[in-house]
Amino acid sequence: MKVFFICGPHAVGKMTIGEVISKKLDLPLLHNHMTLELIQPFLGWVPATFQLSAQFRTAIFNEIVEQSGNKGLIFTFVMAFDVPQDVEEINGYKEVFLSKGIDVFFVELKADLEERLHRNKTENRLAKKPSKRNLEHSEYELLESYRTHRLNSLPREIKDKHYFQLDVTNLTAEQAADKIIEHFNN
């Protein structure tokens, strides 16, 4: 089973790169907005939205590890490294797989703020993430999270056995996906 966790700040390219890896490795993609966008129309952006999303993700992960013949998945998310609850939530997701002896390939993406602001407006992002279509609000969220949280790790902060950090500022999604796949195939 191949399990990829792809994290990084808003609009870094997690979903788009995940889509390319999904096609290349024939693995399903669960990008972070799939569960959030399902719940948000009913509840809004309240703490319960994020709690239910976490429960839904955990249930999906638990079911995946129990299915025989499951090939794995790709999961993308934003994690504030300065928020212990975020780190704890992601570690809990990883533990679902690790406790069953399944390796998690942890990928951290980073990109310059200017490039992320550009990617925030891409057609693919807006098509798949309805809550990002209000560009003024989406850009505000991106800049506010940049100002108030640490969305990339510090050197040697991540101690995962299978970890790869990649600066995707000047890479296409295809190039980034190839580098990720190549890194973990060595």
Side-chain angles (χ1 to χ4, degrees):
M1 186 178 290
K2 293 255 188 196
V3 177
F4 289 86
F5 275 35
I6 303 175
C7 80
H10 305 78
V12 75
K14 299 175 297 291
M15 178 190 68
T16 305
I17 292 166
E19 288 173 332
V20 176
I21 295 171
S22 172
K23 287 179 185 157
K24 288 179 178 279
L25 299 181
D26 191 29
L27 293 172
L29 170 67
L30 174 61
H31 68 78
N32 57 333
H33 270 263
M34 291 172 85
T35 54
L36 292 169
E37 301 279 356
L38 176 68
I39 300 163
Q40 184 276 335
F42 302 102
L43 304 181
W45 294 111
V46 297
T49 301
F50 297 93
Q51 293 164 354
L52 287 169
S53 176
Q55 291 171 8
F56 196 46
R57 292 169 182 176
T58 300
I60 291 169
F61 299 153
N62 280 318
E63 190 59 35
I64 285 171
V65 299
E66 294 303 323
Q67 290 180 349
S68 64
N70 196 307
K71 294 170 63 174
L73 85 151
I74 301 160
F75 171 56
T76 73
F77 57 95
V78 174
M79 177 169 65
F81 286 88
D82 58 327
V83 177
Q85 297 91 334
D86 275 17
V87 175
E88 183 179 310
E89 180 179 325
I90 298 306
N91 285 337
Y93 294 155
K94 287 191 291 189
E95 188 56 30
V96 170
F97 298 97
L98 296 172
S99 68
K100 299 287 187 178
I102 301 165
D103 288 331
V104 173
F105 300 101
F106 193 89
V107 179
E108 180 184 2
L109 305 177
K110 63 181 187 174
D112 294 346
L113 180 60
E114 185 177 319
E115 180 63 21
R116 291 176 43 224
L117 287 167
H118 168 73
R119 291 178 185 177
N120 190 53
K121 302 171 193 162
T122 60
E123 185 178 330
N124 189 42
R125 177 177 172 82
L126 299 178
K128 301 213 171 106
K129 299 179 180 182
S131 65
K132 300 300 181 185
R133 293 177 189 154
N134 177 338
L135 292 176
E136 184 178 324
H137 181 71
S138 181
E139 187 170 300
Y140 169 80
E141 283 183 324
L142 189 154
L143 291 169
E144 186 65 12
S145 68
Y146 176 78
R147 187 181 71 73
T148 59
H149 291 291
R150 187 167 55 82
L151 302 177
N152 281 115
S153 66
L154 298 172
R156 295 175 296 287
E157 180 176 10
I158 298 179
K159 309 242 187 285
D160 292 44
K161 178 180 175 185
H162 303 288
Y163 168 70
F164 182 49
Q165 185 183 68
L166 182 62
D167 187 331
V168 296
T169 302
N170 298 308
L171 298 176
T172 66
E174 184 86 18
Q175 291 168 328
D178 286 344
K179 286 182 180 293
I180 292 165
I181 292 167
E182 179 183 330
H183 177 81
F184 290 117
N185 278 339
N186 290 334

